[in-house]
Structure formats: C-alpha cells, structure tokens
Amino acid sequence: MASERGGAPSGVLCIYFRSNTGGEAVSDLPEEPLLEELPQADLERLLGQLKEEEEHAQRARLSSVESLKAWVAKHPTLQQTTLMESIALYGPAFLELLRRALGL
Amino acid sequence: MSGPKPAPLDLIVKAAEEEFNRRPPTICVIGLSGVGKSSTINAMFGTHKRVSATTRGTNRFRTDVFEIVSQRMEGAAIKCALRVLDAPGLGEDVSLDENYLSRYRHHLKDKACDMVLWIVAARNRALALDQQYLTRLADVLPNVLIGINQVDLVEPLNWNAGINMPSREQDKAVKEIVEDRHAKLSKCLRGQCKTVAYSALKYYNLQSLFAACLDVSPPDRRWMFDLLKSFSTHDWLNKAKGLSAAQKQQLARAYIKSDEKISAESLPG
C-alpha cells in the first residue's frame, strides 16, 4: 500500500532527502518521500550494501591513480615531465581526463 | 636551472595507447565449465557489447582479444585491447583438461597474465577438481583471486529482488560458503589468496571483486584495467526491482560518488 505524503505505514521507515544538498541525507524533512514501501530492515541492508559497493569503487579508483603514478615514474619519457605533479594534484579527475582523451 | 617541461595531454595519451598495444592488460580466468567466467568478464568490462573480439587457439582454449574501440571526438579512434585467457570447457572431459592445464601453465609460466581469477559457483560443493587443478598450477600461479559467483542461486533460492541482495537466509549461507571454499581452495596454493562472493548477473558485490582484482595485479598496470572498467554501482542499484526510478535516482544522488561526472572546471587544462 502506498502511503500518503507525510505518513508512513507502521513498521516502515521513511527517509527523506533534502534536495540539492549535494548528497547529505537527512531523515526529518517532509519532502521527497523515499522508499516508503520498503521495510526498515531491507532499507538498512540496501544502504549498507550501497555504501560498501561505493567504498570498494573508491578504493579501486585510488589504487588506479597510484598505479598510474607508478607507471609514469617508470616511463622513460613521461618521468621527465610534470605529469606526476598533475596526477597528484588532480587524483581521480586526472584518470577521468585520460579516459575521456582516449575516448573510452 | 630549468625544471621539467610541462607535459601536454597528448604525450600521456600517446604513451597509454602504446602501452595498450605493447602489452594489453591480461586476465587469466580459470574455473570449471558453467561457473560464469564469461559473464564475469562481460559484467566488469562490457566485453559483450562494445568490442570486436578476435579469438586465437582452439575452440576450447581461447585467447580472446577484445578490442575496445574508443570514441574520440578528435583524432583517429584508438583500439584499447583487453586480453582474456580462458578454457571454457574445463572440467567437461578429463582427457581434454590435460591440454587446457598445459596451456594455462604455458601462459602463466611466461608471466603473460596480469591477474588470475579462479571462479567457482557458489552452489557447487564438489571442489575436488578445482583443488586438483589449483594444486597442479600452484607453482606458476601469481597472486590469485578466488571469485565465488552466482550467490543469487544459493539455497533457499529466495533472492531479495526488491533490493537486489541475498535474502537473510542466503546471506548466512553465503558467509558459510565463503569460509568453506576459502579454506578448501587456499590450502592448495603456496601463498595467500583472497576470496570474494558476488553475482555477475546481478552486479552484486562486483565492485568488491573488481577492487580485489586490482589488488592482485601488478601495481603499475592497475590503471589500465580501471580505464576499461565498464560498470558502476548504478548497475547494481538499477536491478533492484522494488525501487522506482525516482527512488533509485535519489539514492544514487546521495550515495554514488565513484562515477560522478567530473565537471570540466575540475579537470586539468
């Protein structure tokens, strides 16, 4: 059963997000009801998994940045450039730039 | 005294292209027939949808080279290759397996692989063949990652499709499976190994698998796999059937940061 805005069936957790906050989740705003049909236990597991997937994704991305630095440091031509500083400065954004430049 | 000259982007693009051509990132994927080797590679690298593949070798031991053609706005398109070594029929016929194992050994001995991903199916309790083959290849295996695929098919087969996750019962069973398979397979190896449970079909825990893949590959080669990675946390979330499109968007906005589009201003000039 779909709940009306501002009310939730018992045993169901409503989470609301403040719009345009850049990702900060808050639980007390009566706007944009989210996941209102989802049992609280499921919601907790979903959010837990979501965070876990993202932690691994971030870890992989940072590992790749370090990897790119290691490759540049060994490359006969690139090691003589300022690329290391650029990669260190921009981090994952540099990898994204390279991906775009390669058209991948 | 003059410092190093600034590097134009073209320089690293050209060098990256040369590196992909010189020695494509290479995965050796090993596992008995039907464990989902191809679906795992497809899920991680999109090799079923955006590539042209050339296959060398017999039809039952393959060296697939997936050429992922770039879509550059300027300049000629670049072909970035991913190489996958695979014996799709391993375990179907013991007399043929001898040949597959010697082919794997040959490639592994030459250190032609950046990573080895050994895949078993979560439901499969019969590990004798895997143990036997792992033991026989142990001396040429570098750091190996054990992937336990198809966790969505674990008993009692009640995958929670609403949130695209194992049910609580399956979750408990998966934990026991990971412990059991890790103990039984890692003892066949000479070094440490990591074990990750996932579902390629559901994109569940695929980020964990990918991160673990990078961990076992050479430190100066990981970036190449990252550039070819073709999935994101969105793919997992989008398969949650109990969520509306708007709900998924809200969740993604709040929590998925790893593949956010980077604004032009934040990119180096």
Side-chain angles (χ1 to χ4, degrees), chain B residues 98-133:
Chain B
E98 285 302 320
N99 180 41
Y100 302 148
L101 289 176
S102 68
R103 299 288 293 274
Y104 274 129
R105 169 174 287 281
H106 170 75
H107 287 289
L108 291 166
K109 207 171 180 178
D110 279 359
K111 302 194 188 313
C113 303
D114 292 308
M115 68 171 87
V116 176
L117 177 56
W118 197 291
I119 303 177
V120 296
R123 279 202 306 178
N124 182 23
R125 278 187 290 240
L127 296 173
L129 265 186
D130 283 290
Q131 286 177 313
Q132 199 185 116
Y133 295 165

PDB file of all heavy atoms in Angstrom, chain B residues 98-133:
ATOM      1  N   GLU B  98      43.779 -32.078 -19.584  1.00  0.00           N
ATOM      2  CA  GLU B  98      45.250 -32.107 -19.588  1.00  0.00           C
ATOM      3  C   GLU B  98      45.794 -31.025 -20.513  1.00  0.00           C
ATOM      4  O   GLU B  98      46.738 -30.316 -20.179  1.00  0.00           O
ATOM      5  CB  GLU B  98      45.744 -33.476 -20.060  1.00  0.00           C
ATOM      6  CG  GLU B  98      45.600 -34.579 -19.024  1.00  0.00           C
ATOM      7  CD  GLU B  98      46.335 -34.264 -17.727  1.00  0.00           C
ATOM      8  OE1 GLU B  98      47.456 -33.725 -17.790  1.00  0.00           O
ATOM      9  OE2 GLU B  98      45.769 -34.523 -16.650  1.00  0.00           O
ATOM     10  N   ASN B  99      45.189 -30.923 -21.686  1.00  0.00           N
ATOM     11  CA  ASN B  99      45.626 -29.930 -22.661  1.00  0.00           C
ATOM     12  C   ASN B  99      45.373 -28.508 -22.147  1.00  0.00           C
ATOM     13  O   ASN B  99      46.233 -27.623 -22.240  1.00  0.00           O
ATOM     14  CB  ASN B  99      44.899 -30.159 -23.990  1.00  0.00           C
ATOM     15  CG  ASN B  99      45.324 -29.143 -25.035  1.00  0.00           C
ATOM     16  OD1 ASN B  99      46.507 -28.804 -25.135  1.00  0.00           O
ATOM     17  ND2 ASN B  99      44.372 -28.631 -25.805  1.00  0.00           N
ATOM     18  N   TYR B 100      44.190 -28.290 -21.573  1.00  0.00           N
ATOM     19  CA  TYR B 100      43.875 -26.945 -21.059  1.00  0.00           C
ATOM     20  C   TYR B 100      44.871 -26.533 -19.972  1.00  0.00           C
ATOM     21  O   TYR B 100      45.354 -25.409 -19.942  1.00  0.00           O
ATOM     22  CB  TYR B 100      42.460 -26.898 -20.457  1.00  0.00           C
ATOM     23  CG  TYR B 100      41.360 -27.288 -21.404  1.00  0.00           C
ATOM     24  CD1 TYR B 100      40.209 -27.922 -20.926  1.00  0.00           C
ATOM     25  CD2 TYR B 100      41.438 -27.035 -22.769  1.00  0.00           C
ATOM     26  CE1 TYR B 100      39.184 -28.284 -21.767  1.00  0.00           C
ATOM     27  CE2 TYR B 100      40.416 -27.395 -23.621  1.00  0.00           C
ATOM     28  CZ  TYR B 100      39.295 -28.024 -23.121  1.00  0.00           C
ATOM     29  OH  TYR B 100      38.283 -28.386 -23.952  1.00  0.00           O
ATOM     30  N   LEU B 101      45.152 -27.477 -19.077  1.00  0.00           N
ATOM     31  CA  LEU B 101      46.053 -27.149 -17.965  1.00  0.00           C
ATOM     32  C   LEU B 101      47.459 -26.834 -18.473  1.00  0.00           C
ATOM     33  O   LEU B 101      48.116 -25.917 -17.964  1.00  0.00           O
ATOM     34  CB  LEU B 101      46.106 -28.306 -16.953  1.00  0.00           C
ATOM     35  CG  LEU B 101      44.837 -28.512 -16.123  1.00  0.00           C
ATOM     36  CD1 LEU B 101      44.961 -29.748 -15.229  1.00  0.00           C
ATOM     37  CD2 LEU B 101      44.512 -27.291 -15.267  1.00  0.00           C
ATOM     38  N   SER B 102      47.899 -27.571 -19.496  1.00  0.00           N
ATOM     39  CA  SER B 102      49.237 -27.279 -20.019  1.00  0.00           C
ATOM     40  C   SER B 102      49.253 -25.932 -20.733  1.00  0.00           C
ATOM     41  O   SER B 102      50.251 -25.213 -20.704  1.00  0.00           O
ATOM     42  CB  SER B 102      49.740 -28.405 -20.922  1.00  0.00           C
ATOM     43  OG  SER B 102      48.982 -28.441 -22.094  1.00  0.00           O
ATOM     44  N   ARG B 103      48.128 -25.558 -21.356  1.00  0.00           N
ATOM     45  CA  ARG B 103      48.058 -24.237 -21.999  1.00  0.00           C
ATOM     46  C   ARG B 103      48.078 -23.131 -20.940  1.00  0.00           C
ATOM     47  O   ARG B 103      48.759 -22.119 -21.092  1.00  0.00           O
ATOM     48  CB  ARG B 103      46.784 -24.122 -22.840  1.00  0.00           C
ATOM     49  CG  ARG B 103      46.692 -25.151 -23.972  1.00  0.00           C
ATOM     50  CD  ARG B 103      47.673 -24.825 -25.094  1.00  0.00           C
ATOM     51  NE  ARG B 103      47.326 -23.595 -25.781  1.00  0.00           N
ATOM     52  CZ  ARG B 103      46.459 -23.517 -26.799  1.00  0.00           C
ATOM     53  NH1 ARG B 103      45.857 -24.601 -27.222  1.00  0.00           N
ATOM     54  NH2 ARG B 103      46.206 -22.376 -27.376  1.00  0.00           N
ATOM     55  N   TYR B 104      47.295 -23.322 -19.887  1.00  0.00           N
ATOM     56  CA  TYR B 104      47.314 -22.348 -18.790  1.00  0.00           C
ATOM     57  C   TYR B 104      48.745 -22.232 -18.231  1.00  0.00           C
ATOM     58  O   TYR B 104      49.253 -21.134 -18.021  1.00  0.00           O
ATOM     59  CB  TYR B 104      46.372 -22.789 -17.660  1.00  0.00           C
ATOM     60  CG  TYR B 104      44.930 -22.376 -17.818  1.00  0.00           C
ATOM     61  CD1 TYR B 104      43.898 -23.309 -17.703  1.00  0.00           C
ATOM     62  CD2 TYR B 104      44.572 -21.044 -18.043  1.00  0.00           C
ATOM     63  CE1 TYR B 104      42.560 -22.934 -17.820  1.00  0.00           C
ATOM     64  CE2 TYR B 104      43.244 -20.663 -18.155  1.00  0.00           C
ATOM     65  CZ  TYR B 104      42.245 -21.611 -18.047  1.00  0.00           C
ATOM     66  OH  TYR B 104      40.931 -21.231 -18.157  1.00  0.00           O
ATOM     67  N   ARG B 105      49.348 -23.376 -18.010  1.00  0.00           N
ATOM     68  CA  ARG B 105      50.702 -23.385 -17.433  1.00  0.00           C
ATOM     69  C   ARG B 105      51.672 -22.606 -18.317  1.00  0.00           C
ATOM     70  O   ARG B 105      52.482 -21.808 -17.839  1.00  0.00           O
ATOM     71  CB  ARG B 105      51.156 -24.834 -17.241  1.00  0.00           C
ATOM     72  CG  ARG B 105      52.631 -24.985 -16.890  1.00  0.00           C
ATOM     73  CD  ARG B 105      52.976 -26.421 -16.565  1.00  0.00           C
ATOM     74  NE  ARG B 105      52.448 -26.803 -15.260  1.00  0.00           N
ATOM     75  CZ  ARG B 105      53.017 -26.468 -14.113  1.00  0.00           C
ATOM     76  NH1 ARG B 105      54.136 -25.767 -14.098  1.00  0.00           N
ATOM     77  NH2 ARG B 105      52.495 -26.829 -12.971  1.00  0.00           N
ATOM     78  N   HIS B 106      51.568 -22.851 -19.610  1.00  0.00           N
ATOM     79  CA  HIS B 106      52.449 -22.185 -20.565  1.00  0.00           C
ATOM     80  C   HIS B 106      52.336 -20.651 -20.434  1.00  0.00           C
ATOM     81  O   HIS B 106      53.341 -19.950 -20.332  1.00  0.00           O
ATOM     82  CB  HIS B 106      52.072 -22.623 -21.990  1.00  0.00           C
ATOM     83  CG  HIS B 106      52.740 -21.826 -23.055  1.00  0.00           C
ATOM     84  ND1 HIS B 106      54.071 -21.987 -23.378  1.00  0.00           N
ATOM     85  CD2 HIS B 106      52.267 -20.829 -23.860  1.00  0.00           C
ATOM     86  CE1 HIS B 106      54.385 -21.133 -24.341  1.00  0.00           C
ATOM     87  NE2 HIS B 106      53.316 -20.421 -24.652  1.00  0.00           N
ATOM     88  N   HIS B 107      51.090 -20.170 -20.427  1.00  0.00           N
ATOM     89  CA  HIS B 107      50.888 -18.715 -20.341  1.00  0.00           C
ATOM     90  C   HIS B 107      51.309 -18.166 -18.980  1.00  0.00           C
ATOM     91  O   HIS B 107      51.899 -17.084 -18.901  1.00  0.00           O
ATOM     92  CB  HIS B 107      49.412 -18.377 -20.597  1.00  0.00           C
ATOM     93  CG  HIS B 107      49.019 -18.532 -22.037  1.00  0.00           C
ATOM     94  ND1 HIS B 107      49.447 -17.687 -23.024  1.00  0.00           N
ATOM     95  CD2 HIS B 107      48.223 -19.454 -22.647  1.00  0.00           C
ATOM     96  CE1 HIS B 107      48.947 -18.064 -24.188  1.00  0.00           C
ATOM     97  NE2 HIS B 107      48.195 -19.137 -23.990  1.00  0.00           N
ATOM     98  N   LEU B 108      51.011 -18.912 -17.940  1.00  0.00           N
ATOM     99  CA  LEU B 108      51.339 -18.432 -16.599  1.00  0.00           C
ATOM    100  C   LEU B 108      52.854 -18.423 -16.374  1.00  0.00           C
ATOM    101  O   LEU B 108      53.390 -17.531 -15.727  1.00  0.00           O
ATOM    102  CB  LEU B 108      50.644 -19.291 -15.543  1.00  0.00           C
ATOM    103  CG  LEU B 108      49.121 -19.131 -15.484  1.00  0.00           C
ATOM    104  CD1 LEU B 108      48.477 -20.252 -14.677  1.00  0.00           C
ATOM    105  CD2 LEU B 108      48.748 -17.775 -14.889  1.00  0.00           C
ATOM    106  N   LYS B 109      53.509 -19.418 -16.928  1.00  0.00           N
ATOM    107  CA  LYS B 109      54.953 -19.519 -16.772  1.00  0.00           C
ATOM    108  C   LYS B 109      55.653 -18.357 -17.467  1.00  0.00           C
ATOM    109  O   LYS B 109      56.666 -17.847 -16.989  1.00  0.00           O
ATOM    110  CB  LYS B 109      55.433 -20.849 -17.364  1.00  0.00           C
ATOM    111  CG  LYS B 109      56.709 -21.377 -16.747  1.00  0.00           C
ATOM    112  CD  LYS B 109      56.983 -22.777 -17.231  1.00  0.00           C
ATOM    113  CE  LYS B 109      58.268 -23.301 -16.619  1.00  0.00           C
ATOM    114  NZ  LYS B 109      58.531 -24.681 -17.039  1.00  0.00           N
ATOM    115  N   ASP B 110      55.089 -17.941 -18.583  1.00  0.00           N
ATOM    116  CA  ASP B 110      55.644 -16.808 -19.326  1.00  0.00           C
ATOM    117  C   ASP B 110      55.330 -15.469 -18.666  1.00  0.00           C
ATOM    118  O   ASP B 110      55.689 -14.431 -19.205  1.00  0.00           O
ATOM    119  CB  ASP B 110      55.061 -16.786 -20.750  1.00  0.00           C
ATOM    120  CG  ASP B 110      55.785 -17.763 -21.646  1.00  0.00           C
ATOM    121  OD1 ASP B 110      56.721 -18.409 -21.151  1.00  0.00           O
ATOM    122  OD2 ASP B 110      55.402 -17.892 -22.820  1.00  0.00           O
ATOM    123  N   LYS B 111      54.629 -15.519 -17.579  1.00  0.00           N
ATOM    124  CA  LYS B 111      54.209 -14.299 -16.873  1.00  0.00           C
ATOM    125  C   LYS B 111      53.449 -13.361 -17.808  1.00  0.00           C
ATOM    126  O   LYS B 111      53.624 -12.141 -17.792  1.00  0.00           O
ATOM    127  CB  LYS B 111      55.394 -13.589 -16.240  1.00  0.00           C
ATOM    128  CG  LYS B 111      56.171 -14.466 -15.263  1.00  0.00           C
ATOM    129  CD  LYS B 111      57.104 -13.632 -14.432  1.00  0.00           C
ATOM    130  CE  LYS B 111      58.038 -14.466 -13.577  1.00  0.00           C
ATOM    131  NZ  LYS B 111      57.420 -15.544 -12.836  1.00  0.00           N
ATOM    132  N   ALA B 112      52.638 -13.958 -18.658  1.00  0.00           N
ATOM    133  CA  ALA B 112      51.891 -13.167 -19.636  1.00  0.00           C
ATOM    134  C   ALA B 112      50.595 -12.613 -19.056  1.00  0.00           C
ATOM    135  O   ALA B 112      49.894 -11.860 -19.720  1.00  0.00           O
ATOM    136  CB  ALA B 112      51.579 -14.026 -20.855  1.00  0.00           C
ATOM    137  N   CYS B 113      50.281 -13.002 -17.822  1.00  0.00           N
ATOM    138  CA  CYS B 113      48.996 -12.582 -17.236  1.00  0.00           C
ATOM    139  C   CYS B 113      49.211 -11.574 -16.123  1.00  0.00           C
ATOM    140  O   CYS B 113      50.108 -11.729 -15.303  1.00  0.00           O
ATOM    141  CB  CYS B 113      48.246 -13.782 -16.670  1.00  0.00           C
ATOM    142  SG  CYS B 113      47.974 -15.049 -17.903  1.00  0.00           S
ATOM    143  N   ASP B 114      48.361 -10.568 -16.096  1.00  0.00           N
ATOM    144  CA  ASP B 114      48.431  -9.586 -15.014  1.00  0.00           C
ATOM    145  C   ASP B 114      47.704 -10.081 -13.775  1.00  0.00           C
ATOM    146  O   ASP B 114      48.042  -9.715 -12.657  1.00  0.00           O
ATOM    147  CB  ASP B 114      47.795  -8.262 -15.464  1.00  0.00           C
ATOM    148  CG  ASP B 114      48.613  -7.586 -16.541  1.00  0.00           C
ATOM    149  OD1 ASP B 114      49.827  -7.406 -16.323  1.00  0.00           O
ATOM    150  OD2 ASP B 114      48.058  -7.279 -17.597  1.00  0.00           O
ATOM    151  N   MET B 115      46.679 -10.864 -13.997  1.00  0.00           N
ATOM    152  CA  MET B 115      45.939 -11.375 -12.829  1.00  0.00           C
ATOM    153  C   MET B 115      45.306 -12.721 -13.160  1.00  0.00           C
ATOM    154  O   MET B 115      45.026 -13.027 -14.321  1.00  0.00           O
ATOM    155  CB  MET B 115      44.856 -10.391 -12.385  1.00  0.00           C
ATOM    156  CG  MET B 115      43.718 -10.230 -13.371  1.00  0.00           C
ATOM    157  SD  MET B 115      42.350  -9.266 -12.708  1.00  0.00           S
ATOM    158  CE  MET B 115      42.860  -7.604 -13.110  1.00  0.00           C
ATOM    159  N   VAL B 116      45.129 -13.500 -12.117  1.00  0.00           N
ATOM    160  CA  VAL B 116      44.439 -14.779 -12.274  1.00  0.00           C
ATOM    161  C   VAL B 116      43.182 -14.751 -11.418  1.00  0.00           C
ATOM    162  O   VAL B 116      43.240 -14.496 -10.217  1.00  0.00           O
ATOM    163  CB  VAL B 116      45.335 -15.959 -11.850  1.00  0.00           C
ATOM    164  CG1 VAL B 116      44.554 -17.272 -11.935  1.00  0.00           C
ATOM    165  CG2 VAL B 116      46.577 -16.027 -12.727  1.00  0.00           C
ATOM    166  N   LEU B 117      42.077 -14.972 -12.076  1.00  0.00           N
ATOM    167  CA  LEU B 117      40.793 -15.018 -11.372  1.00  0.00           C
ATOM    168  C   LEU B 117      40.263 -16.448 -11.467  1.00  0.00           C
ATOM    169  O   LEU B 117      39.960 -16.927 -12.561  1.00  0.00           O
ATOM    170  CB  LEU B 117      39.822 -14.022 -12.021  1.00  0.00           C
ATOM    171  CG  LEU B 117      38.389 -13.972 -11.482  1.00  0.00           C
ATOM    172  CD1 LEU B 117      38.349 -13.706  -9.985  1.00  0.00           C
ATOM    173  CD2 LEU B 117      37.579 -12.913 -12.229  1.00  0.00           C
ATOM    174  N   TRP B 118      40.223 -17.113 -10.316  1.00  0.00           N
ATOM    175  CA  TRP B 118      39.748 -18.501 -10.275  1.00  0.00           C
ATOM    176  C   TRP B 118      38.298 -18.461  -9.792  1.00  0.00           C
ATOM    177  O   TRP B 118      38.035 -18.004  -8.683  1.00  0.00           O
ATOM    178  CB  TRP B 118      40.609 -19.321  -9.315  1.00  0.00           C
ATOM    179  CG  TRP B 118      40.453 -20.798  -9.518  1.00  0.00           C
ATOM    180  CD1 TRP B 118      39.343 -21.545  -9.241  1.00  0.00           C
ATOM    181  CD2 TRP B 118      41.415 -21.693 -10.070  1.00  0.00           C
ATOM    182  NE1 TRP B 118      39.567 -22.861  -9.588  1.00  0.00           N
ATOM    183  CE2 TRP B 118      40.829 -22.978 -10.101  1.00  0.00           C
ATOM    184  CE3 TRP B 118      42.718 -21.544 -10.544  1.00  0.00           C
ATOM    185  CZ2 TRP B 118      41.506 -24.097 -10.580  1.00  0.00           C
ATOM    186  CZ3 TRP B 118      43.390 -22.660 -11.007  1.00  0.00           C
ATOM    187  CH2 TRP B 118      42.780 -23.914 -11.024  1.00  0.00           C
ATOM    188  N   ILE B 119      37.399 -18.927 -10.629  1.00  0.00           N
ATOM    189  CA  ILE B 119      35.976 -18.782 -10.302  1.00  0.00           C
ATOM    190  C   ILE B 119      35.342 -20.138  -9.987  1.00  0.00           C
ATOM    191  O   ILE B 119      35.554 -21.124 -10.706  1.00  0.00           O
ATOM    192  CB  ILE B 119      35.216 -18.112 -11.469  1.00  0.00           C
ATOM    193  CG1 ILE B 119      35.837 -16.750 -11.796  1.00  0.00           C
ATOM    194  CG2 ILE B 119      33.741 -17.927 -11.123  1.00  0.00           C
ATOM    195  CD1 ILE B 119      35.196 -16.038 -12.977  1.00  0.00           C
ATOM    196  N   VAL B 120      34.589 -20.164  -8.914  1.00  0.00           N
ATOM    197  CA  VAL B 120      33.766 -21.342  -8.598  1.00  0.00           C
ATOM    198  C   VAL B 120      32.317 -20.876  -8.454  1.00  0.00           C
ATOM    199  O   VAL B 120      32.053 -19.701  -8.190  1.00  0.00           O
ATOM    200  CB  VAL B 120      34.229 -22.059  -7.297  1.00  0.00           C
ATOM    201  CG1 VAL B 120      35.632 -22.625  -7.446  1.00  0.00           C
ATOM    202  CG2 VAL B 120      34.163 -21.108  -6.102  1.00  0.00           C
ATOM    203  N   ALA B 121      31.404 -21.816  -8.645  1.00  0.00           N
ATOM    204  CA  ALA B 121      29.989 -21.473  -8.473  1.00  0.00           C
ATOM    205  C   ALA B 121      29.610 -21.676  -7.014  1.00  0.00           C
ATOM    206  O   ALA B 121      29.992 -22.686  -6.400  1.00  0.00           O
ATOM    207  CB  ALA B 121      29.123 -22.352  -9.365  1.00  0.00           C
ATOM    208  N   ALA B 122      28.869 -20.731  -6.466  1.00  0.00           N
ATOM    209  CA  ALA B 122      28.552 -20.768  -5.031  1.00  0.00           C
ATOM    210  C   ALA B 122      27.846 -22.065  -4.621  1.00  0.00           C
ATOM    211  O   ALA B 122      28.064 -22.578  -3.530  1.00  0.00           O
ATOM    212  CB  ALA B 122      27.697 -19.553  -4.663  1.00  0.00           C
ATOM    213  N   ARG B 123      27.011 -22.577  -5.516  1.00  0.00           N
ATOM    214  CA  ARG B 123      26.227 -23.763  -5.143  1.00  0.00           C
ATOM    215  C   ARG B 123      27.016 -25.072  -5.234  1.00  0.00           C
ATOM    216  O   ARG B 123      26.583 -26.094  -4.735  1.00  0.00           O
ATOM    217  CB  ARG B 123      24.998 -23.871  -6.049  1.00  0.00           C
ATOM    218  CG  ARG B 123      23.866 -22.983  -5.624  1.00  0.00           C
ATOM    219  CD  ARG B 123      22.560 -23.479  -6.172  1.00  0.00           C
ATOM    220  NE  ARG B 123      22.606 -23.644  -7.627  1.00  0.00           N
ATOM    221  CZ  ARG B 123      21.584 -24.107  -8.342  1.00  0.00           C
ATOM    222  NH1 ARG B 123      20.474 -24.465  -7.751  1.00  0.00           N
ATOM    223  NH2 ARG B 123      21.664 -24.202  -9.639  1.00  0.00           N
ATOM    224  N   ASN B 124      28.159 -24.984  -5.913  1.00  0.00           N
ATOM    225  CA  ASN B 124      28.911 -26.212  -6.154  1.00  0.00           C
ATOM    226  C   ASN B 124      29.766 -26.601  -4.941  1.00  0.00           C
ATOM    227  O   ASN B 124      30.730 -25.917  -4.608  1.00  0.00           O
ATOM    228  CB  ASN B 124      29.801 -26.030  -7.386  1.00  0.00           C
ATOM    229  CG  ASN B 124      30.563 -27.291  -7.716  1.00  0.00           C
ATOM    230  OD1 ASN B 124      30.148 -28.394  -7.324  1.00  0.00           O
ATOM    231  ND2 ASN B 124      31.668 -27.157  -8.415  1.00  0.00           N
ATOM    232  N   ARG B 125      29.399 -27.701  -4.319  1.00  0.00           N
ATOM    233  CA  ARG B 125      30.146 -28.156  -3.146  1.00  0.00           C
ATOM    234  C   ARG B 125      31.283 -29.099  -3.528  1.00  0.00           C
ATOM    235  O   ARG B 125      32.157 -29.379  -2.726  1.00  0.00           O
ATOM    236  CB  ARG B 125      29.210 -28.881  -2.172  1.00  0.00           C
ATOM    237  CG  ARG B 125      28.424 -27.937  -1.283  1.00  0.00           C
ATOM    238  CD  ARG B 125      27.666 -28.718  -0.261  1.00  0.00           C
ATOM    239  NE  ARG B 125      26.582 -29.455  -0.904  1.00  0.00           N
ATOM    240  CZ  ARG B 125      25.294 -29.299  -0.604  1.00  0.00           C
ATOM    241  NH1 ARG B 125      24.952 -28.455   0.345  1.00  0.00           N
ATOM    242  NH2 ARG B 125      24.364 -29.981  -1.217  1.00  0.00           N
ATOM    243  N   ALA B 126      31.227 -29.608  -4.763  1.00  0.00           N
ATOM    244  CA  ALA B 126      32.248 -30.561  -5.201  1.00  0.00           C
ATOM    245  C   ALA B 126      33.470 -29.797  -5.683  1.00  0.00           C
ATOM    246  O   ALA B 126      33.474 -29.234  -6.784  1.00  0.00           O
ATOM    247  CB  ALA B 126      31.679 -31.431  -6.319  1.00  0.00           C
ATOM    248  N   LEU B 127      34.493 -29.756  -4.860  1.00  0.00           N
ATOM    249  CA  LEU B 127      35.663 -28.931  -5.170  1.00  0.00           C
ATOM    250  C   LEU B 127      36.892 -29.752  -5.546  1.00  0.00           C
ATOM    251  O   LEU B 127      37.974 -29.197  -5.727  1.00  0.00           O
ATOM    252  CB  LEU B 127      35.998 -28.050  -3.961  1.00  0.00           C
ATOM    253  CG  LEU B 127      34.943 -27.010  -3.578  1.00  0.00           C
ATOM    254  CD1 LEU B 127      35.333 -26.330  -2.275  1.00  0.00           C
ATOM    255  CD2 LEU B 127      34.768 -25.968  -4.665  1.00  0.00           C
ATOM    256  N   ALA B 128      36.725 -31.048  -5.663  1.00  0.00           N
ATOM    257  CA  ALA B 128      37.893 -31.915  -5.872  1.00  0.00           C
ATOM    258  C   ALA B 128      38.666 -31.545  -7.131  1.00  0.00           C
ATOM    259  O   ALA B 128      39.903 -31.469  -7.109  1.00  0.00           O
ATOM    260  CB  ALA B 128      37.453 -33.372  -5.923  1.00  0.00           C
ATOM    261  N   LEU B 129      37.942 -31.284  -8.237  1.00  0.00           N
ATOM    262  CA  LEU B 129      38.640 -30.932  -9.480  1.00  0.00           C
ATOM    263  C   LEU B 129      39.348 -29.590  -9.353  1.00  0.00           C
ATOM    264  O   LEU B 129      40.492 -29.435  -9.783  1.00  0.00           O
ATOM    265  CB  LEU B 129      37.653 -30.875 -10.651  1.00  0.00           C
ATOM    266  CG  LEU B 129      37.497 -32.138 -11.512  1.00  0.00           C
ATOM    267  CD1 LEU B 129      36.602 -31.845 -12.707  1.00  0.00           C
ATOM    268  CD2 LEU B 129      38.836 -32.690 -11.974  1.00  0.00           C
ATOM    269  N   ASP B 130      38.654 -28.615  -8.764  1.00  0.00           N
ATOM    270  CA  ASP B 130      39.285 -27.303  -8.559  1.00  0.00           C
ATOM    271  C   ASP B 130      40.547 -27.458  -7.708  1.00  0.00           C
ATOM    272  O   ASP B 130      41.587 -26.867  -8.010  1.00  0.00           O
ATOM    273  CB  ASP B 130      38.309 -26.341  -7.863  1.00  0.00           C
ATOM    274  CG  ASP B 130      37.251 -25.795  -8.813  1.00  0.00           C
ATOM    275  OD1 ASP B 130      37.603 -24.991  -9.688  1.00  0.00           O
ATOM    276  OD2 ASP B 130      36.082 -26.190  -8.695  1.00  0.00           O
ATOM    277  N   GLN B 131      40.438 -28.241  -6.643  1.00  0.00           N
ATOM    278  CA  GLN B 131      41.589 -28.432  -5.754  1.00  0.00           C
ATOM    279  C   GLN B 131      42.746 -29.093  -6.506  1.00  0.00           C
ATOM    280  O   GLN B 131      43.904 -28.693  -6.379  1.00  0.00           O
ATOM    281  CB  GLN B 131      41.192 -29.300  -4.558  1.00  0.00           C
ATOM    282  CG  GLN B 131      40.337 -28.567  -3.538  1.00  0.00           C
ATOM    283  CD  GLN B 131      39.916 -29.483  -2.406  1.00  0.00           C
ATOM    284  OE1 GLN B 131      39.454 -30.607  -2.629  1.00  0.00           O
ATOM    285  NE2 GLN B 131      40.050 -29.005  -1.184  1.00  0.00           N
ATOM    286  N   GLN B 132      42.384 -30.098  -7.303  1.00  0.00           N
ATOM    287  CA  GLN B 132      43.403 -30.818  -8.064  1.00  0.00           C
ATOM    288  C   GLN B 132      44.115 -29.878  -9.046  1.00  0.00           C
ATOM    289  O   GLN B 132      45.338 -29.860  -9.123  1.00  0.00           O
ATOM    290  CB  GLN B 132      42.697 -31.938  -8.835  1.00  0.00           C
ATOM    291  CG  GLN B 132      43.609 -33.042  -9.317  1.00  0.00           C
ATOM    292  CD  GLN B 132      42.815 -34.021 -10.176  1.00  0.00           C
ATOM    293  OE1 GLN B 132      43.081 -34.157 -11.356  1.00  0.00           O
ATOM    294  NE2 GLN B 132      41.821 -34.669  -9.604  1.00  0.00           N
ATOM    295  N   TYR B 133      43.326 -29.067  -9.766  1.00  0.00           N
ATOM    296  CA  TYR B 133      43.907 -28.185 -10.785  1.00  0.00           C
ATOM    297  C   TYR B 133      44.675 -27.028 -10.154  1.00  0.00           C
ATOM    298  O   TYR B 133      45.717 -26.622 -10.659  1.00  0.00           O
ATOM    299  CB  TYR B 133      42.812 -27.664 -11.727  1.00  0.00           C
ATOM    300  CG  TYR B 133      42.157 -28.761 -12.547  1.00  0.00           C
ATOM    301  CD1 TYR B 133      40.968 -28.547 -13.219  1.00  0.00           C
ATOM    302  CD2 TYR B 133      42.742 -30.018 -12.645  1.00  0.00           C
ATOM    303  CE1 TYR B 133      40.368 -29.543 -13.974  1.00  0.00           C
ATOM    304  CE2 TYR B 133      42.155 -31.023 -13.381  1.00  0.00           C
ATOM    305  CZ  TYR B 133      40.968 -30.789 -14.047  1.00  0.00           C
ATOM    306  OH  TYR B 133      40.384 -31.784 -14.776  1.00  0.00           O
TER     307      TYR B 133
END
